[in-house]
Amino acid sequence: MDERKQISLKHLFSPSGGLFYHFRALRYARTLWTSFREELEEYLQSWNPPEKELVILGASAGYTLTSEFLNRFDKLWLFDPDPLARILFRRNHPDLNCIWSSEDLIFANGEYSHSRLSDWLCEHKNVAVLFSNILGQLPLLHSNLEAMQS
C-alpha cells in the first residue's frame, strides 16, 4: 500500500478524529456540546483580527464554528489530516473559499517543530491563526508528548 493510502487510513481511524470522532460529533454537537459551542461563539464574535484570511489548525469538520464567523474572512486555510474533515466541513459550511491541506505544521518526523508553522506564516503574511481542536489532541497523536510531560 502506498504511503498516501496508509496516512489516510491511519487518520480515518485516529483516536482524535476519523470515523469515530465524526460519529460522536454528529450525535452530540447539538446536545452535549451546546454550552461549549455557545461560549466559543461568544468568544469568536469578540475576536476581530484585522486580517482577511484565516488559518485554522485542526479544522476538522467545523462542528463548533459557525458559518457566520467563518464568513468574516475572504479565504480560509484549513489544516487537518482527517480525510473526512474536508467533506464534512463543506457540508457544514458550504460556499466558503477554503484551501485544504493535510500537512502537519506543528510536528515534523514525530517531534514538535515551531519552524514549520513559522515558515508557513512567513510565506503567507497577513493571516489570522486559530488553533481549533488541535492542542488537546496532540498527546493522542504524538505519544512522545506524554513522555515529555512526565
Side-chain angles (χ1 to χ4, degrees):
M1 184 180 302
D2 71 33
E3 184 178 328
R4 190 173 185 172
K5 286 183 182 175
Q6 275 184 325
I7 291 171
S8 292
L9 287 176
K10 173 184 157 191
H11 293 294
L12 195 58
F13 295 100
S14 168
S16 68
L19 289 171
F20 301 114
Y21 168 77
H22 292 294
F23 174 75
R24 287 190 307 270
L26 289 168
R27 183 173 181 191
Y28 298 123
R30 304 251 185 258
T31 57
L32 294 178
W33 294 5
T34 300
S35 62
F36 170 74
R37 292 175 69 227
E38 289 171 353
E39 288 179 33
L40 179 63
E41 178 59 18
E42 184 178 323
Y43 170 78
L44 292 175
Q45 287 303 321
S46 67
W47 183 51
N48 293 304
E51 296 84 3
K52 295 296 181 194
E53 296 183 10
L54 176 66
V55 177
I56 303 177
L57 300 169
S60 188
Y63 296 111
T64 60
L65 302 172
T66 65
S67 292
E68 178 184 355
F69 166 72
L70 296 170
N71 275 313
R72 293 183 355 202
F73 299 92
D74 295 336
K75 184 186 292 184
L76 301 173
W77 299 86
L78 307 173
F79 289 84
D80 200 299
D82 182 349
L84 294 175
R86 299 169 194 226
I87 297 164
L88 295 171
F89 190 97
R90 220 174 281 127
R91 182 186 70 87
N92 292 334
H93 304 287
D95 305 321
L96 294 173
N97 183 9
C98 301
I99 298 172
W100 275 92
S101 176
S102 59
E103 181 180 4
D104 189 339
L105 295 180
I106 299 173
F107 276 78
N109 302 319
E111 297 291 325
Y112 169 73
S113 171
H114 65 83
S115 63
R116 295 183 75 169
L117 178 57
S118 179
D119 291 347
W120 192 92
L121 291 171
C122 284
E123 291 178 27
H124 302 85
K125 296 184 183 338
N126 299 317
V127 296
V129 179
L130 178 66
F131 290 86
S132 175
N133 292 340
I134 189 67
L135 298 178
Q137 295 177 26
L138 291 178
L140 294 172
L141 299 170
H142 300 282
S143 59
N144 62 340
L145 279 180
E146 285 189 22
M148 290 170 40
Q149 293 173 353
S150 300

